[in-house]
Amino acid sequence: MVINSFNFLFFFIILFVVYYFPLRNNTNAQNVWLLVTSYVFYGITDLRMLPVLLISTVVFYVIGLLIRQSTSTAASFLTTLGVVAGVGMLLYFKYLNFFIGSFAALITSIGLQVNPITLSIIFPLGISFFTFRLISYVIEVNRGKIEPTRDFVAFATYIAFFPTLLAGPIDRPNDFIPQLRLPRLFDYDLAMDGTRQILWGIFKKMVIADNMGLFLGSVWGDVASQNATTLLIAALVFPSQLYTDFSGYSDMAIGVGKILGIRVAINFRYPFFARNVAEYWRSWHMSLTTWVTDYVFMPLNVRFREWGTTGLLLAIIINMIVIGIWHGANWTYAVFGLYHGLLFIPLVLSGTFARKKKLQANRYGLPYRSDFLKMIGTYLLVAFGLIIFNALSMEQAVVFMKGLFQFSNLTNFTAEGLRMLALSLLFMILALIAEWRQRDKEYALQIDSLVPRKAARFAIYWVLLIITVLFSGEEQVFIYMQF
Amino acid sequence: MTPMKKYLTEIVFCFLLPALLIAAVAEYSLRKIPNDYAFKNQWLTKNSRDVEVLALGASSILYDVDPTYFSSKGFNAAHFSQSLKYDHFIYNKFIEQMPSLEYVIMGVDFWTPFGDIEDSPEWWRVKYYNIHYGSNYYRWLGKYNFELYFRDIPTFKRATNGFLSLLGLKEETNVAVNENGHGLHYTLENRADNWDNGEFEAARHNTLIIEGLHDSLIEQNRQYMEEIIRKSAERGVKVLLVNVPLYVSYRDTQNREFLKQQKDFCTYFVKEYNNVQFYDFSDDPRFTEEDFYDANHLNDIGTRKFTLFLDSIMVHQSSPLMTKNLLENDQQF
């Protein structure tokens, strides 16, 4: 069940009615209801993997309780056990076949015969997201940042909260679990804000990402026979598709959370206005980057401190590789991470790595030219990295990059394909203008102060709704659901 | 007003209800625009008692057979890309009310044994059988039941025209057949300069067959055809299986193996049932360039000629020879 479907709408209406009518004065019952519906949601999506979610939830819940009751050494051991169990789950379900294949390739390359056995392992949807929540919980408990919860329902709801279960954002226990202890009476402003954010997410996903997806699907489906122009356009368009697809999902998830009175972690903060790669990563998939920063980069940075700048760079590069391979078992993701890690080198050496300079508009309300050029440059660097990211293999990425220099007059566009692409680009530009104007807000459609009159705001929502109905592309699967 | 009441009131009355109302009016307006499916269903519901010749099939029959030229009362119930499942449905729906029926003409194109409109690029036509003919296939799937499944600008433009028609301010129609169900507009006058698209069309059909090929579908189509033939036999109705005239470019690009299977499909029924005859006009030299609208459809001149041939067969009850010849020439495939 995908979040932008009619099935989800019916599911959510039932959830909403029960949540806010019979259960409105009973926080515990609301939590139980959220948990049950989250499991139903996951079960409908993939029933086979529900036991994995259930068992891992129970195991980490117990580990959390044991950590608090243990001595410091035992607590560290239990935390390590939890981290190993979480990473082990990921390794087994996501990476085992990749390791077997890579090992077999290595053996074969030195001239030995090998017949690798690939295991038939089901890939559990959302595993990368809920595993990181589980790991985060035991680490935070061990660090003493949170008390281990005795409320199993609240803990399990945190792990399985349905809007974020399949594609994030990755909430942190410190922010999420305490919300489940508070009474959740209906909040009009929050719910209206959430509804509006869902509308903005649906617009980005269905009008921009899905229309771009049709074009990009045809290009990536047959990279070898595309000409340079087509490949160049595909390379330039893909960051926009990925952004509108993933941030669209995040907006919908956050919006659903708000309607239920729960604040979900912010995942994007206008990454295309980033003036360098460091800014980009501070505003892209923020729930993952902050997670990896806290649990990978910071410990490494402390460990490598004595090596000075070299140590910092090493920590950053390892950090970026971890972010890369979090996406899946493929060399492309590792190389993608390494590429971004290398892009940090000039930033670290010039000292601009950690500098946070607020974006300012010139007297016309536009970005300053120097900022604008830096934004374009960052976009191009990101677009290049995403060629590697989106390729099925390094070989395909190389074919794509070589193809960028194979000039010919032939174009592979059909009239319909060109129309859809032009349309989605037009809406992308309009969305970016709206985002620039609203860059201080959580998302672009948060227009209460810009348009104070309610009737005018509702008219804008209607326009967006009509555009979504009329121009939505053929439904494409959310890209980040595969991770 | 409580916050919840305020929220629900705004969502329901400012968005949900207006949106539902617009959608309902648009869907209703679209359904009320007259089209071929609605026309043929209404015509058959009203006049099936008089029908002596019923033509079923896809566009080749829709455009190549004009019952106006039959000596007896005929009706063309073919539609674009109509596969045997829907021939079978229409036949079953009306056969009990056709006491005068003497002949059923079944178009058997080379893709017919493998054809399934639901898996073809023309799947969007399935909804018309549900909406207008009252078939009950896939009632839970929106794409097979709602005009508004396509929510693009042309659809809403049509809906607006439909709505204006309902108000009597405009006359919108999508009926493109004559009073006997024959498809209009495929005339010599309307023929495009680059009308010979045979290689492309046949290659496209070859690909579609390959993409949708599976044995169970062939068996299912055989059963649909068999039931039509069996029920016809019980009523003393003859069935003519017809492969329409094709232009050389189309004919030469057809996959040989599929052609053989098409022929086997037809000869099976000819052998098994006395009321069946198979006529293959695909390379009939009497049809020349001037008779075609495109490589696999006839124009008005060709249609007249072809319909009169069919009429002659029915009137004179001749042609066991043609069938026999065809059976004897098996080895040519």
Side-chain angles (χ1 to χ4, degrees), chain A residues 50-260:
Chain A
L50 196 54
V52 176
L53 178 65
L54 277 166
I55 293 166
S56 57
T57 303
V58 172
V59 169
F60 278 76
Y61 170 73
V62 173
I63 291 175
L65 290 176
L66 290 176
I67 288 172
R68 179 45 78 232
Q69 293 160 7
S70 308
T71 60
S72 163
T73 321
S76 295
F77 171 75
L78 284 166
T79 308
T80 310
L81 187 72
V83 173
V84 169
V87 174
M89 261 169 61
L90 279 177
L91 288 177
Y92 177 75
F93 286 110
K94 272 185 91 167
Y95 303 103
L96 189 60
N97 279 334
F98 168 71
F99 287 135
I100 293 173
S102 298
F103 183 68
L106 184 71
I107 299 285
T108 311
S109 70
I110 56 171
L112 295 172
Q113 281 291 339
V114 64
N115 188 18
I117 304 159
T118 43
L119 303 175
S120 172
I121 301 170
I122 308 160
F123 174 70
L125 283 169
I127 191 167
S128 309
F129 297 94
F130 72 73
T131 307
F132 268 36
R133 278 187 211 117
L134 291 165
I135 294 173
S136 174
Y137 176 73
V138 290
I139 295 175
E140 295 298 320
V141 169
N142 185 46
R143 287 179 176 178
K145 298 262 180 72
I146 52 164
E147 281 296 310
T149 179
R150 293 192 171 278
D151 182 349
F152 176 76
V153 172
F155 175 71
T157 306
Y158 158 62
I159 301 301
F161 187 52
F162 71 92
T164 61
L165 180 59
L166 300 182
I170 305 166
D171 281 294
R172 304 295 271 275
N174 334 28
D175 300 322
F176 197 95
I177 295 175
Q179 296 187 66
L180 297 176
R181 297 198 192 105
L182 300 171
R184 289 187 298 282
L185 294 173
F186 185 78
D187 180 335
Y188 169 82
D189 291 327
L190 193 62
M192 213 52 182
D193 190 38
T195 310
R196 184 171 56 184
Q197 195 162 0
I198 293 171
L199 177 61
W200 183 241
I202 287 176
F203 165 75
K204 283 195 285 185
K205 164 67 178 157
M206 293 174 72
V207 178
I208 303 175
D210 284 354
N211 279 320
M212 287 177 171
L214 284 177
F215 160 71
L216 289 167
S218 66
V219 174
W220 279 97
D222 187 12
V223 170
S225 57
Q226 310 293 337
N227 65 31
T229 317
T230 309
L231 291 176
L232 183 65
I233 293 171
L236 293 175
V237 164
F238 183 59
S240 296
Q241 191 219 2
L242 189 62
Y243 169 63
T244 47
D245 186 282
F246 190 21
S247 72
Y249 185 96
S250 297
D251 280 335
M252 288 182 241
I254 294 167
V256 169
K258 282 178 179 173
I259 294 175
L260 298 173

Side-chain angles (χ1 to χ4, degrees), chain B residues 113-331:
Chain B
F114 322 93
D116 177 10
I117 189 174
E118 290 146 12
D119 271 346
S120 78
E122 303 288 321
W123 60 266
W124 55 274
R125 295 180 184 276
V126 171
K127 63 176 177 281
Y128 296 129
Y129 295 96
N130 278 338
I131 294 171
H132 300 295
Y133 276 106
S135 66
N136 272 311
Y137 299 122
Y138 314 106
R139 274 301 189 190
W140 289 100
L141 280 179
K143 68 176 188 172
Y144 292 145
N145 289 283
F146 290 104
E147 290 264 14
L148 273 190
Y149 181 76
F150 292 106
R151 303 175 306 267
D152 49 11
I153 289 175
T155 306
F156 277 94
K157 211 170 153 187
R158 273 201 316 123
T160 309
N161 289 338
F163 182 66
L164 293 174
S165 299
L166 287 176
L167 297 177
L169 300 171
K170 200 170 182 175
E171 204 166 319
E172 177 81 359
T173 178
N174 288 331
V175 176
V177 294
N178 68 14
E179 67 282 3
N180 296 312
H182 167 247
L184 303 169
H185 308 314
Y186 277 24
T187 60
L188 183 60
E189 197 184 347
N190 287 344
R191 185 165 84 172
D193 291 339
N194 54 346
W195 64 272
D196 181 8
N197 56 350
E199 273 184 43
F200 174 79
E201 270 302 293
R204 191 174 71 86
H205 285 144
N206 288 338
T207 310
L208 285 174
I209 293 172
I210 290 165
E211 283 172 355
L213 196 62
H214 53 91
D215 291 341
S216 63
L217 183 62
I218 301 171
E219 178 53 26
Q220 210 175 48
N221 280 332
R222 200 187 60 76
Q223 284 175 16
Y224 287 133
M225 181 69 99
E226 191 144 28
E227 198 181 322
I228 292 172
I229 290 169
R230 193 172 42 74
K231 281 191 176 173
S232 297
E234 285 166 10
R235 287 165 175 75
V237 174
K238 296 185 181 70
V239 178
L240 305 186
L241 306 182
V242 175
N243 193 13
V244 298
L246 298 168
Y247 195 60
V248 62
S249 57
Y250 184 92
R251 219 166 50 226
D252 289 352
T253 318
Q254 287 173 306
N255 181 303
R256 297 287 112 184
E257 177 55 30
F258 298 151
L259 273 175
K260 181 183 177 307
Q261 289 200 45
Q262 175 207 24
K263 200 184 162 213
D264 291 346
F265 186 80
C266 293
T267 49
Y268 164 80
F269 296 113
V270 173
K271 281 176 186 165
E272 292 291 316
Y273 294 89
N274 290 328
N275 63 328
V276 180
Q277 292 169 357
F278 175 38
Y279 296 95
D280 187 352
F281 289 91
S282 62
D283 59 351
D284 191 318
R286 291 172 293 183
F287 290 92
T288 61
E289 199 175 311
E290 291 303 302
D291 294 316
F292 286 91
Y293 174 78
D294 60 23
N296 56 335
H297 298 100
L298 297 171
N299 59 34
D300 47 339
I301 298 166
T303 295
R304 182 173 179 276
K305 196 191 274 184
F306 180 56
T307 312
L308 288 174
F309 284 147
L310 291 177
D311 190 58
S312 158
I313 290 167
M314 290 186 286
V315 168
H316 300 297
Q317 287 288 303
S318 61
S319 284
L321 256 181
M322 286 181 79
T323 310
K324 197 164 168 276
N325 285 344
L326 205 76
L327 293 175
E328 283 168 356
N329 289 338
D330 258 357
Q331 67 276 13

Side-chain angles (χ1 to χ4, degrees), chain A residues 20 188 195 454 462 469-470, chain B residues 4 7 10 14 151 153 156:
Chain A
Y20 276 125
Y188 169 82
T195 310
K454 188 182 261 187
W462 260 107
V469 168
L470 293 182
Chain B
M4 175 65 86
Y7 175 76
E10 286 180 1
C14 296
R151 303 175 306 267
I153 289 175
F156 277 94

Side-chain angles (χ1 to χ4, degrees), chain B residues 1-154:
Chain B
M1 195 185 273
T2 63
M4 175 65 86
K5 227 177 216 173
K6 191 178 169 194
Y7 175 76
L8 289 181
T9 306
E10 286 180 1
I11 293 291
V12 172
F13 288 103
C14 296
F15 293 97
L16 221 53
L17 276 185
L20 279 175
L21 191 68
I22 292 169
V25 170
E27 179 71 26
Y28 183 76
S29 305
L30 285 165
R31 287 177 179 216
K32 285 295 169 188
I33 297 172
N35 66 15
D36 294 352
Y37 298 84
F39 167 76
K40 289 190 180 185
N41 180 58
Q42 282 161 13
W43 193 97
L44 283 167
T45 305
K46 221 165 157 185
N47 305 300
S48 52
R49 296 198 69 79
D50 305 327
V51 175
E52 291 167 286
V53 182
L54 179 70
L56 291 165
S59 60
S60 54
I61 294 295
L62 174 66
Y63 288 106
D64 293 6
V65 176
D66 184 353
T68 313
Y69 303 116
F70 286 150
S71 310
S72 41
K73 181 67 189 164
F75 189 73
N76 187 332
H79 292 283
F80 262 109
S81 300
Q82 184 163 286
S83 50
L84 280 167
K85 179 176 179 175
Y86 292 92
D87 287 333
H88 175 259
F89 169 77
I90 293 172
Y91 177 88
N92 268 349
K93 181 172 177 182
F94 294 105
I95 186 64
E96 299 297 339
Q97 295 123 53
M98 290 186 171
S100 317
L101 191 67
E102 288 178 21
Y103 278 94
V104 174
I105 296 171
M106 298 285 302
V108 185
D109 299 312
F110 92 114
W111 54 265
T112 302
F114 322 93
D116 177 10
I117 189 174
E118 290 146 12
D119 271 346
S120 78
E122 303 288 321
W123 60 266
W124 55 274
R125 295 180 184 276
V126 171
K127 63 176 177 281
Y128 296 129
Y129 295 96
N130 278 338
I131 294 171
H132 300 295
Y133 276 106
S135 66
N136 272 311
Y137 299 122
Y138 314 106
R139 274 301 189 190
W140 289 100
L141 280 179
K143 68 176 188 172
Y144 292 145
N145 289 283
F146 290 104
E147 290 264 14
L148 273 190
Y149 181 76
F150 292 106
R151 303 175 306 267
D152 49 11
I153 289 175

